[in-house]
């Protein structure tokens, strides 16, 4: 009986030894791997959380397509805003030229008024005050006012006042009538210059707003066309391995700070 048990044990001993040697080899390989490449067997919670927080490849591709569509739309809007800004600037330059021309016309009218005012101080030539003379003076006033209207020096209201004799005396001497007419022209040109100045300021503000809108859209288009970052930062403040090692190497000092002894 004892011989039978001993013989069975001796027969199973090589098989058991092979199993133990295999297990020992697996353990040795695992220990060697841990010593050589510890990061392969390290559980990095920060990496797992970061990978879970980042979008998948399909989500990233969809976001990329949305970003490209948005960049295209913003680029088109920026081009249209640039065209609008150029158009507003052209309008402002035109209004500026009109205001300058209106100011020059007003200055010329003011010079005529001063010249005629000096001439009116001199004695007027004597003429016979007959109905024919008064008719000639009226025709001259109407013709002079109509010529000034065609030169855009008088408004329709002023021309109507001349023909209706509202504030106008056709019996006055032509020198006096011309002085009144030059004053009316000066007042009209001054009002037109002020209106042109207001239009110039309004178009300038519109051009500034259009330029600012175009500049903002260009910046937004440039930001949309920039490539997205390859990797986002982790959503949680995780401690890096280097910081952990440095924390273990430099222990914190607890207690009061050292005081120099004298």
């Amino acid at each position: 009986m004892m011989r039978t048990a001993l013989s069975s044990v001796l027969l199973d001993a090589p098989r058991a030894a092979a199993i133990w040697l295999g297990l020992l080899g697996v353990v040795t390989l695992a220990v060697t791997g841990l010593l050589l490449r510890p990061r392969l067997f390290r559980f990095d919670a920060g990496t797992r959380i970061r990978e879970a927080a980042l979008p998948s490849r399909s989500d990233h591709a969809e976001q990329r397509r949305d970003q490209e569509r948005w960049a295209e739309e913003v680029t088109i809007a920026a081009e249209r805003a640039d065209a609008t800004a150029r158009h507003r600037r052209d309008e402002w330059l035109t209004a500026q030229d009109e205001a300058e021309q209106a100011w020059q016309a007003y200055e010329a009218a003011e010079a005529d008024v001063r010249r005629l005012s000096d001439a009116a101080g001199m004695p007027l030539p004597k003429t016979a005050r007959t109905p024919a003379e008064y008719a000639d003076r009226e025709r001259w006033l109407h013709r002079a006012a109509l010529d000034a209207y065609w030169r855009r020096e008088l408004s329709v209201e002023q021309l109507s006042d001349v023909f209706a004799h509202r504030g106008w005396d056709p019996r006055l001497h032509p020198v006096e009538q011309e002085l009144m007419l030059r004053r009316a022209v000066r007042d009209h040109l001054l009002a037109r210059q002020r209106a042109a100045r207001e239009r110039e300021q309004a178009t300038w503000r519109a051009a500034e707003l259009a330029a600012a809108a175009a500049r903002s859209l260009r910046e937004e288009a440039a930001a949309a066309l920039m490539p997205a970052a390859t990797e986002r930062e982790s959503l949680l403040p995780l401690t890096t391995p280097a910081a952990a090692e440095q924390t273990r190497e430099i222990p914190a000092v607890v207690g009061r700070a050292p005081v120099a002894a004298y």
Side-chain angles (χ1 to χ4, degrees):
M1 186 65 181
M2 290 295 294
R3 186 179 298 175
T4 303
L6 182 60
S7 60
S8 61
V9 170
L10 292 176
L11 291 175
D12 295 335
R15 186 181 302 172
I19 294 174
W20 281 106
L21 289 176
L23 293 175
L24 183 60
V26 172
V27 172
T28 302
L29 291 176
V31 172
T32 305
L34 285 173
L35 293 176
L36 296 178
R37 303 291 297 275
R39 293 185 178 180
L40 295 177
F41 299 93
R42 182 181 299 173
F43 177 75
D44 192 353
T47 303
R48 296 294 179 86
I49 296 175
R50 184 162 50 250
E51 291 177 355
L54 290 176
S56 61
R57 292 184 177 179
S58 59
D59 295 338
H60 182 72
E62 183 65 25
Q63 291 177 1
R64 185 61 182 174
R65 287 193 295 269
D66 293 340
Q67 184 179 3
E68 290 177 354
R69 286 194 297 268
W70 170 248
E72 183 179 0
E73 293 176 359
V74 174
T75 302
I76 295 174
E79 293 175 355
R80 293 177 179 175
D82 286 336
T84 302
R86 289 191 297 269
H87 180 66
R88 292 290 183 267
R89 178 175 175 79
D90 293 340
E91 289 181 348
W92 170 61
L93 293 176
T94 302
Q96 191 178 30
D97 293 339
E98 291 177 355
E100 182 65 24
Q101 293 174 4
W103 174 254
Q104 293 176 358
Y106 165 73
E107 285 187 333
E110 180 65 24
D112 290 341
V113 170
R114 288 194 299 267
R115 177 179 56 82
L116 291 176
S117 297
D118 296 338
M122 301 176 62
L124 298 176
K126 300 294 184 179
T127 56
R129 298 185 177 181
T130 59
E133 176 66 19
Y134 288 149
D136 290 340
R137 293 180 179 182
E138 184 178 4
R139 284 193 298 270
W140 182 91
L141 176 61
H142 292 172
R143 184 172 61 254
L146 190 60
D147 292 341
Y149 170 77
W150 289 120
R151 292 193 302 268
R152 299 180 60 190
E153 295 178 350
L154 286 180
S155 63
V156 177
E157 293 78 7
Q158 289 175 316
L159 183 64
S160 300
D161 293 339
V162 171
F163 279 89
H165 301 163
R166 287 191 294 266
W168 294 84
D169 188 359
R171 295 173 302 178
L172 294 178
H173 194 276
V175 175
E176 296 175 335
Q177 290 180 356
E178 186 176 2
L179 178 59
M180 292 182 59
L181 185 62
R182 289 296 98 191
R183 287 174 177 172
V185 169
R186 178 198 60 185
D187 295 341
H188 174 67
L189 293 180
L190 178 60
R192 194 172 70 179
Q193 189 273 334
R194 290 175 177 174
R197 181 63 177 174
E198 292 178 357
R199 286 195 302 271
E200 188 266 338
Q201 292 178 352
T203 53
W204 177 79
R205 289 192 294 268
E208 286 293 314
L209 291 176
R215 185 167 53 252
S216 177
L217 284 174
R218 284 196 302 269
E219 293 176 356
E220 189 172 355
L225 291 173
M226 290 177 61
T230 56
E231 186 177 12
R232 296 177 57 187
E233 295 294 334
S234 176
L235 300 177
L236 298 178
L238 300 177
T239 305
T240 59
E245 293 177 359
Q246 184 178 4
T247 304
R248 288 195 297 267
E249 292 175 358
I250 304 176
V253 178
V254 180
R256 296 183 300 174
V259 180
Y262 295 93

